[in-house]
Structure formats: C-alpha cells, structure tokens
Amino acid sequence: MSPPRILLCGDVLGRLNQLFKRVQSVNKSAGPFDALFCVGQFFPDSAEQLEEFTGYIEGVGGRSQIPLPTYFIGDYGVAAPKVLSTASRNSANLGFKMDGFKICDNLFWLRGSGKFTLHGLSVVYLSGRQSSSGQHFGTYSQDDVDALRALAEEPGVVDLFLTNEWPRGVTNRASASDIPAGFLDTTGSDSSVSELVAEIKPRYHFAGAKGVFYAREPYSNVDAVHVTRFFGLAMVGNKDKQKFIHAISPTPASTMSAAEISMKPPNTTLSPYTLVVDKTALKEDTKRSTTTVSDSQYWRYDVSHKRHKSGSGEGNKLCFKFIYSGSCPRGEKCNFQHDMDAREQYLGGVCLDFLIKGKCERGPDCNFKHNLQNEGESHSRRRRGSENDSGNRSKECWFCLSSPNVESHLIISIGEFYYCALPKGPLVQDHVLVIPIEHAPCTLSLTQQSNSELVKFQNSLKLYYKNRGKEAVLFEWISKRSSHANIQVVPVPSTKAAAVKDICNLAAEKLGFKFVVMKFILAVNNSSDGREWLRMQFDRNYSFFYVELTEGTILSHSVEENENFPAQFGREVLAGLLNMPERADWRKCALSKDEETKMAEEFKKQFEELDPNQ
C-alpha cells in the first residue's frame, strides 16, 4: 500500500476561495491527496471576508464545496465563537472527538489538544494560542499542555505535530542562510511549544502564525533515533508570494523498520532546543550534569518566593516530572527540586497553582483544593482514609449532611448509611445521586452492612425507571483526590440502553485503554455479586472508574498515575449517546433554587412508593 499523501497549509484567514483553488490545482497535478491540515489562524480577520467564508461553512448556492477532508487548529478570528459553539452542540459530534469536530462536509475542527490516527499516521495537535485570559475558543489551557505531556509518555513515534505558533528557538543551530529575512524569534513564537516538541519528538512539525515560509534542516532528538523536520508555513494569498501550501507523503512510523526510521540526512543538526555544548563540557559530562534548554520539560513552577524542603536539585524551581508522577528519569542529576512535601500535598488534592504560586487563576472553577493540608498528616494516613473521621469532615463539602454547604433542598431520601439526592445541573430529568453519609472518598471501601443498603437504593431506582420505560446506568469516578464519594444514576431510554456498553468502549478506545468487562446473572433484588467483584478490582493506589448496566454488565478501569482520564467521562459519554453534548458540563445545566426545589418535591412524590426508607 502506498503512503498517504498529505497537504499542509499556513494561516487561511478565511480566504477559502484562494486556498481551495490552489488545492484543486495541486491535487490535479500531483494528487490525489488524502487530507489537508491547516495551521495558524483559520477564521477571517475582518467581517468583509465573512460572506466568502460562510459560503463554504453553510454550503450557500452549492458553489462552495470543500474538495478533500480538511482539518484546522487555528480556532480564532471573526465568527470563530459562533461557528465553533454551534459545532460543539451538534449531535454529530458525540462523545470524545480527538479526531475532529465536524463543522460541515469535509471540514473538521481539532479542539484543544489530542492525538489520533489518520491513514496510518499518528497525528498530535495543540489548537489555539497561549493565553491566560480564559477564552472559551482560540486559546489552549495548561490542561491541554499536560494532556500532551502524558501522551508523550506513550510508546510509538508521532508522525505529525501541528501547532499554531512556532516553537521558540527553532533556528538555533540552523543554517543562517535559510532563516527568513527579518526573522524575530520572539514574535509569533511560543516557549511552551518548544518544550512540548522536545518531549513529543515528532517526525514532522508544522506551524503558522509568522507569515513566512521556513523549512529547517532536520535535527536529531534527545533519546530518540529519528530526526524531526520543522516547517513554518506562510499565510494564504500573501503579497510576497511565499509558500503557503506544502505536500508530504510520509510512510507511517508504525510500519517502518528500525533501520528506516533511524536514517539521518547528511545535513542533520543537533536539536535546536538544547544549548551548544563544547568539547570541554562534553568531557566533564560524566562528572556533572549540563543544563540545557530541554530542562524546561522537567519544571513548571518558579518557587523562589517559598521556603524549600531539601531536594535532589539546586535552585528555586520544582521538578514538574517528580510532582506529577512521583519519579524523574534524571534522578539525582536533575537540576530542579524533588520536593516530597509538595508531591504529598498534590496527592492530597491540593491545586498545584495554589500550592506553588499561592493563587489559582481558575478560582471556584478549579476542581482542586485551595488550602494546604496539615503538614503532620502523612501521605499514607491520607490514603487510609483519615478524612473519613467525622471530626475531619470538610466544612466546605457539598455532600456532608453536617456541612452548612449541603444542598438540603435536593435530598430525596435518607437511610442509615446512604442518602439519595438530585444533582445540581442534572444531565436529564430524574438524574439521581446516591451518596454515603460518611465522609468517604469511595463507596467500594465502605462496610458490607452499608453495601446492603446501597443495593436496596439501586434496585428501587432501577424499578422506578423501568416503570417509565427507561433503564438505569450507574457510574462512580474514584479519584485519588476524591473527598466525598457519590454514585451517579442516570435514566436512559430502553431503546438506547443496549448502546451504552458500545459507546463506552468506543470512548475508551479513543482515549487509549480498554475496559475490564464482567457479566453477572442478577438474582431478584440482588446485585451484591457485582459490588464484591468491584471491591476486588479496586486498588487504593490508583484512581478508578466503573459503570454498571441494568442487565448485569460492569465495565471497570484502573487509571494509571499519568493517564489522561477525564473526570466527567461517564457524563460526557451519556450526553453523547442521548444526543445532548451541550449538557456534558453540569455547570451549563444549572437551575435556580426554586426550580431545583420543585423538581425534588416532584421526584419524592413519585418515588415514595418505592423508597426503601418509607
């Protein structure tokens, strides 16, 4: 089979007529091509260009056809929020879409960051520009960067890496004669991209945003046998007639032999992301570690204003690798602090930004704690669940019945060990939470006696839904940073219930893992066998997710330390199945307190006959 043929383009700026005229010309003379990737700004710069642009997006007049599958990452410019908001709500964009949200026929938006395979090629992307403004579209977040760091740890070679902005320092060690005239490394360049590309080590890296074409000599990578080729692409229709479209036909790395992938052209340079090390320094390398720009992939936070515990490194920066994963490949040679206290605070659920900087820009939207844990409380004690003690219950916990913050108007039924409540921002009507009264991080660690009551709650809810032509889907996300457990119970129309398992498996496949699946034959009013099996699957040293289906099937997954597993996996998958992706985020489904109270009262009235506590 011949290698795929791929076109790549710089900033489009809404000039789709010029772009696709050129694409058709190239396709006719050198094609056919399989796909087009656009880097840099995709949307128009001004409202005057909107008519041409929307002609393709909306298919006006039948004249504006996109000739081949086109993927873009420059999600900013005029009309971007409107078009992308609509795409986010489109029922065609179900579940996890690392391979692109469909905008219209043959046009796909690569949102945030991700990794997918196209025609055998491994494609990684970072969409948007670096920004701290918190814009919904057009910028990438630290979560997007961290997700790519996790992906970089996976085995296999990445074929294509797509970014909007150039990596800072890409011209280091490059031939001066090839560098574009008037080139300024600081304008339209991003140091975060430099750090990522040094870690991801793609075979090809394409970027836009600088308005010039630049094909750098191949460069070797640290700790990898293959070279990387960088291309900066000019904008469509630029006055200087610089190259804005480029064609490649790479054999996927996954099909190449070791000899093929390790071949280095004669003009290969050292990596531009490491400082030049002279011969004298190389001789000293066995005695001491030499600082390089690639150190940046190991640290994240400057902590010069904080008191340090002793660590393996010197200086005032914490080692990102150590805090995030608990280990660092450099060991004692690392130039940054391996602070175990900071690592334990992180494992205890403390926000890294708050921990290191003393503040967090996300504020109340952050999912982590904004207060330091007791210094005398050891990590092992926390893991044994010291927060379960009633004296240590968080006054800020939404789910503790003794907390002033508990949403008591949403409570449906209270038993001895569990209570039942409607959630804030429900996915669908009759969406319910089953919550332990004890301040426990997960339900699988609670007593057998309490488990019997949980099963009664579950069976009552299943019968309640069945009487209304629906089936119950139950899931629990157990994070190592969880404080108070809750099981979500979501009613799904009986006609769609059989598809839950398939869509969960599909989402898992896109995230790079497989569920452990077990089928139980349910006795009347008894699902305790499945719970016992889950207890055996659960390891306190890992985060854990499971989903229970009505016919007795359970899917479970133990989440590795650095695995990029979305905390809202269950809700996002069901939102996709039910054709309501816009409701995947509970905050977008918030109701007024009066609406919540009315909803809870109606549910209590209808559930009364089946309530095990009546």
Side-chain angles (χ1 to χ4, degrees), residues 387-407:
E387 286 185 331
N388 292 354
D389 298 332
S390 59
N392 289 330
R393 290 179 180 175
S394 170
K395 291 183 179 179
E396 298 178 359
C397 180
W398 285 9
F399 298 131
C400 278
L401 291 179
S402 60
S403 168
N405 292 324
V406 68
E407 303 280 358

Side-chain angles (χ1 to χ4, degrees), residues 502-546:
D502 291 337
I503 195 171
C504 283
N505 284 328
L506 177 62
E509 181 181 342
K510 290 187 176 182
L511 287 172
F513 72 90
K514 289 186 177 180
F515 277 111
V516 176
V517 181
M518 183 62 72
K519 178 71 178 288
F520 294 91
I521 299 175
L522 297 181
V524 178
N525 293 326
N526 181 20
S527 59
S528 59
D529 289 347
R531 298 289 301 174
E532 285 303 311
W533 178 78
L534 283 169
R535 286 174 184 269
M536 291 187 289
Q537 294 291 307
F538 176 56
D539 184 338
R540 293 174 185 270
N541 295 319
Y542 297 92
S543 295
F544 191 70
F545 175 84
Y546 68 88

Side-chain angles (χ1 to χ4, degrees), residues 89 97 129 156 192 204 299 340 438 481 506 585:
R89 297 191 298 268
K97 301 294 293 182
R129 300 168 294 188
S192 293
Y204 292 88
W299 66 269
M340 182 55 76
E438 182 180 353
R481 295 180 288 273
L506 177 62
D585 186 342

